[in-house]
Amino acid sequence: MEGYPGVSGGDSTKQQERHYYLLSELQTLVKDLPSSFQQRLSYNTLSDLALALIDGTVYEIVQGLLDIQHLTEKNLYNQRQKLHCEHQGLKQDLTRKHKDALQSCKSHNLALLKTNQQAELEALEIRVKDEQRMMDKKIVAEMDQKVIDQQNTLEKAGVPGFYITTNPQELTMQMNLLELILKLQQKESGVF
């Protein structure tokens, strides 16, 4: 039997034992997935995944990708919160400006002032909505790019089932594979 990448070639029996152990654990974990996904995960796919996990490198890669994703999500959330706070400040400033203008307004100009203030408020609401929509589009685009980066990294690392796709079924399958990897990693962290 050939040696596995990252595992010293001296003891192929240990490599084979580790492969069988990982395969057995994966087969057990797969039972928790919806049956439609269980059917798509053949013995060969699980065996290939077990081979990819033998030396622990994939665990480290997945953890690094998770860390990057969490930092990205936190950063994007903070950007959106900052925009939200800026919008709240603009609304408060406009309300204050309108209140001051109403207090100093002559009664014969009141109707015109209220009409102008309503137009100003509507323009601000449109601006806020547009800026929020643009921010949300930016967030979605950035998260989509993160998914592509993750798929690319895992594909290059030789993890079966990973390649760049936007197909929702394939994305769900990849998410299930990641879930298997993470559950196995958690289980193994207690072993080592």
Side-chain angles (χ1 to χ4, degrees), residues 22-124:
L22 291 169
L23 179 57
S24 173
E25 292 297 322
L26 286 169
Q27 287 172 319
T28 302
L29 290 171
V30 162
K31 293 174 184 169
D32 294 335
L33 295 177
S35 61
S36 59
F37 291 106
Q38 287 181 30
Q39 294 167 4
R40 293 192 55 208
L41 289 171
S42 69
Y43 175 87
N44 286 341
T45 302
L46 292 176
S47 179
D48 290 346
L49 182 56
L51 286 173
L53 296 174
I54 280 184
D55 71 351
T57 304
V58 171
Y59 293 145
E60 292 173 21
I61 291 169
V62 168
Q63 193 56 56
L65 293 173
L66 263 177
D67 292 345
I68 291 167
Q69 180 177 328
H70 290 150
L71 286 172
T72 301
E73 289 169 352
K74 185 176 180 179
N75 181 34
L76 292 171
Y77 174 79
N78 288 339
Q79 286 178 33
R80 193 167 196 296
Q81 283 301 105
K82 182 181 173 195
L83 182 67
H84 178 72
C85 289
E86 288 172 11
H87 289 157
Q88 290 299 104
L90 289 172
K91 288 177 184 178
Q92 288 171 356
D93 290 347
L94 188 61
T95 302
R96 197 173 304 114
K97 177 184 156 193
H98 286 179
K99 187 177 177 184
D100 292 346
L102 282 171
Q103 288 176 347
S104 63
C105 181
K106 305 281 187 230
S107 59
H108 64 279
N109 289 331
L110 194 57
L112 179 61
L113 180 63
K114 284 186 175 183
T115 302
N116 288 342
Q117 287 182 342
Q118 185 61 34
E120 268 187 299
L121 184 60
E122 288 171 6
L124 180 60

Side-chain angles (χ1 to χ4, degrees), residues 5-17:
V7 177
S8 59
D11 195 356
S12 64
T13 304
K14 278 192 174 180
Q15 293 171 6
Q16 194 170 21
E17 285 174 7

